[in-house]
């Protein structure tokens, strides 16, 4: 029988095992938007705020965060693994692959290989990235030219260290990063246990 719960802490942990980021480090800041009502669905679609990812994604993200910490910043996380059912809900609201991946194909979030993130400074203040998280418009694009020099530099900082740590950026959303090998893994609809 296939379980619809994420299989965790299996004795044979390998790079594609789903793990909880907080079990590996306390160096991240969290604002798991879909575990709140402060998101574009205007409803809490996760029962609790946990960041599950494939172990290989966790390793790459920790490597990236170390580089940001050396510069006085930290990664703040908005979303990690996302069950396919939630992707379907998102797609009914925003059926535009520039902003929400088509569930027929599956997002790399559904594969445990994507993260939605920003940067905070040493006092925990978010860097100005020009738009809010999940602003679905041209202004959120890496290629949008009419942003201030500060915003441009902040986006470049995020993109440079993430792409140097094994992630690809996503042109239409400054916050979304895909692990380079993330498309090789299976889409999942498993949910996680909330204690
Ligand atoms: C919904 C948004 N946060 C996001 O992650 N979009 C990308 C394109 C996705 O759904 O994979
Ligand atoms: Zn995303």
């Amino acid at each position: 029988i296939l379980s619809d719960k994420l299989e965790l802490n299996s004795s044979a942990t390998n790079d594609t095992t789903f793990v909880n980021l907080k079990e590996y480090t306390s160096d991240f800041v969290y604002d798991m938007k879909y575990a709140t009502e402060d998101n574009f669905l205007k409803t809490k679609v996760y029962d609790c705020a946990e960041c599950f990812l494939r172990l290989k994604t966790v390793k790459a993200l920790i490597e990236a965060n170390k580089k940001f910490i050396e510069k006085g910043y930290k990664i703040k996380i908005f979303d990690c693994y996302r069950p396919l059912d939630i992707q379907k809900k998102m797609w009914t609201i925003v059926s535009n692959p520039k902003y929400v991946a088509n569930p027929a194909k599956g997002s790399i979030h559904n594969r445990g290989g994507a993260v939605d993130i920003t940067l905070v400074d040493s006092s925990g203040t978010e860097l100005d990235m020009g738009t809010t998280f999940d602003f679905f418009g041209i202004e959120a694009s890496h290629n949008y030219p009419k942003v201030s020099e500060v915003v441009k530099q902040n986006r470049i900082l995020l993109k440079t260290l993430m792409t140097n740590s094994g992630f690809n950026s996503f042109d239409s959303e400054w916050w979304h990063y895909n692990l380079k090998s993330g498309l090789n893994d299976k889409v999942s609809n498993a949910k996680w246990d909330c204690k």
Side-chain angles (χ1 to χ4, degrees):
I1 300 166
L2 282 177
S3 165
D4 68 346
K5 288 262 156 55
L6 283 184
E7 297 257 337
L8 301 172
N9 302 323
S10 98
S11 51
T13 304
N14 59 49
D15 257 5
T16 57
T17 308
F18 275 102
V19 296
N20 191 333
L21 178 61
K22 76 177 183 204
E23 308 291 339
Y24 289 77
T25 170
S26 53
D27 279 346
F28 289 84
V29 176
Y30 296 89
D31 182 7
M32 304 300 288
K33 291 291 192 188
Y34 306 126
T36 74
E37 291 181 354
D38 179 24
N39 62 60
F40 75 96
L41 302 113
K42 306 287 178 221
T43 173
K44 184 174 182 289
V45 290
Y46 295 165
D47 290 340
C48 57
E50 300 292 346
C51 173
F52 285 97
L53 292 165
R54 305 265 181 191
L55 179 57
K56 60 183 178 175
T57 317
V58 161
K59 287 178 181 168
L61 198 60
I62 288 174
E63 183 189 321
N65 202 34
K66 281 189 179 144
K67 294 174 187 165
F68 289 118
I69 289 171
E70 277 169 24
K71 293 184 177 292
Y73 305 106
K74 270 184 185 176
I75 294 176
K76 182 178 200 172
I77 300 185
F78 296 130
D79 195 30
C80 299
Y81 162 70
R82 179 189 304 156
L84 184 63
D85 280 350
I86 309 301
Q87 193 71 31
K88 289 178 182 168
K89 270 191 190 156
M90 291 180 169
W91 182 253
T92 61
I93 298 169
V94 178
S95 315
N96 181 345
K98 277 187 174 169
Y99 302 116
V100 173
N102 188 335
K105 181 177 160 226
S107 164
I108 297 187
H109 283 287
N110 312 142
R111 297 173 157 88
V115 286
D116 292 334
I117 57 172
T118 192
L119 292 174
V120 294
D121 65 18
S122 56
S123 64
T125 305
E126 286 183 27
L127 300 200
D128 185 358
M129 293 292 179
T131 74
T132 52
F133 167 61
D134 275 355
F135 177 88
F136 299 144
I138 189 72
E139 296 87 340
S141 169
H142 283 287
N143 303 317
Y144 184 67
K146 291 187 256 171
V147 292
S148 71
E149 195 51 37
V150 169
V151 168
K152 198 180 290 174
Q153 290 311 317
N154 289 343
R155 288 183 183 183
I156 287 173
L157 172 66
L158 184 59
K159 185 171 175 174
T160 305
L161 298 195
M162 287 301 285
T163 53
N164 287 347
S165 304
F167 291 88
N168 283 325
S169 61
F170 184 67
D171 281 350
S172 43
E173 297 178 336
W174 59 257
W175 56 83
H176 179 98
Y177 285 88
N178 290 320
L179 189 72
K180 283 177 186 161
S181 67
L183 205 51
N184 300 337
D185 300 301
K186 270 189 8 199
V187 163
S188 170
N189 191 34
K191 314 293 185 314
W192 51 88
D193 268 331
C194 293
K195 304 226 163 68

